[in-house]
Amino acid sequence: MQFEHLVQVNELSDSSILKLSRNQLWQGLLGRARQPDLFLEALEGFSLLEDTGAYIRRELNFPNLIVNDEVWLVDRQEIRITITPTEQVAGGDLSIKIEEPEPEALFVRFSYTTPPAPGATDNGEYDQYIQQAYMQTDIGTVRMIRESVIAGLETQHH
């Protein structure tokens, strides 16, 4: 399954919504890579097996499932995640890319590539369910980053 969607970060026409800087957004996306338990509800635990600054190898513990993946960081531009295929996990790729078509107009493009489920013929409904779950997680990620920045600003002002 190939699936891609865009999440708007800054609404330039609405001054009541805090505008995030590219660096604030990037730091938040790094949080998703290095502290996935804050962003993925079903995650029961995780280990960072390796972290070189530009590359992370992780083990993610979900109920009855362990997922190993590799994360590549392209500074303030993109995070690429490759899930290691196992008997339980089909593998897949996720690209999280910051786009800025005009100054301060920040968007995040989430691009998923997942192999079909074993023995599956028509995955239409299942794929739609998975796509909805991806979208909710990704919109939640941007919301959490914004809330974290606002909380940090409030802490500085008190």
Side-chain angles (χ1 to χ4, degrees):
M1 174 184 69
Q2 298 267 35
F3 175 64
E4 171 174 298
H5 70 106
L6 204 57
V7 177
Q8 185 172 5
V9 177
N10 290 338
E11 176 55 67
L12 299 183
S13 63
D14 187 347
S15 61
S16 71
I17 300 173
L18 174 72
K19 289 180 187 58
L20 298 182
S21 70
R22 187 181 195 98
N23 192 55
Q24 288 169 324
L25 177 59
W26 176 250
Q27 291 304 316
L29 293 174
L30 285 179
R32 179 168 162 167
R34 291 198 168 103
Q35 296 178 290
D37 56 325
L38 300 178
F39 295 88
L40 302 173
E41 263 183 48
L43 195 63
E44 293 181 337
F46 72 96
S47 300
L48 296 181
L49 305 173
E50 185 177 349
D51 188 345
T52 67
Y55 169 81
I56 302 168
R57 199 163 49 86
R58 310 181 299 183
E59 181 178 281
L60 308 174
N61 301 306
F62 292 95
N64 305 314
L65 184 67
I66 294 177
V67 175
N68 289 285
D69 64 14
E70 296 178 295
V71 182
W72 288 269
L73 308 169
V74 181
D75 193 33
R76 285 186 278 277
Q77 294 177 46
E78 183 179 13
I79 296 174
R80 289 189 316 270
I81 301 169
T82 298
I83 297 170
T84 306
T86 65
E87 283 185 24
Q88 289 184 300
V89 181
D93 295 290
L94 167 60
S95 167
I96 303 171
K97 190 171 193 167
I98 298 174
E99 297 184 5
E100 192 172 4
E102 61 180 281
E104 295 186 337
L106 294 174
F107 294 83
V108 182
R109 182 174 301 277
F110 295 87
S111 303
Y112 294 86
T113 304
T114 57
T121 52
D122 179 19
N123 280 345
E125 281 184 33
Y126 178 75
D127 286 353
Q128 281 187 317
Y129 172 78
I130 295 297
Q131 290 171 10
Q132 288 298 318
Y134 287 159
M135 286 176 65
Q136 291 306 314
T137 298
D138 299 339
I139 291 166
T141 291
V142 172
R143 183 175 51 250
M144 287 181 66
I145 292 169
R146 181 178 310 287
E147 289 169 0
S148 166
V149 168
I150 291 170
L153 293 173
E154 288 173 353
T155 304
Q156 290 174 3
H157 292 290
H158 290 291

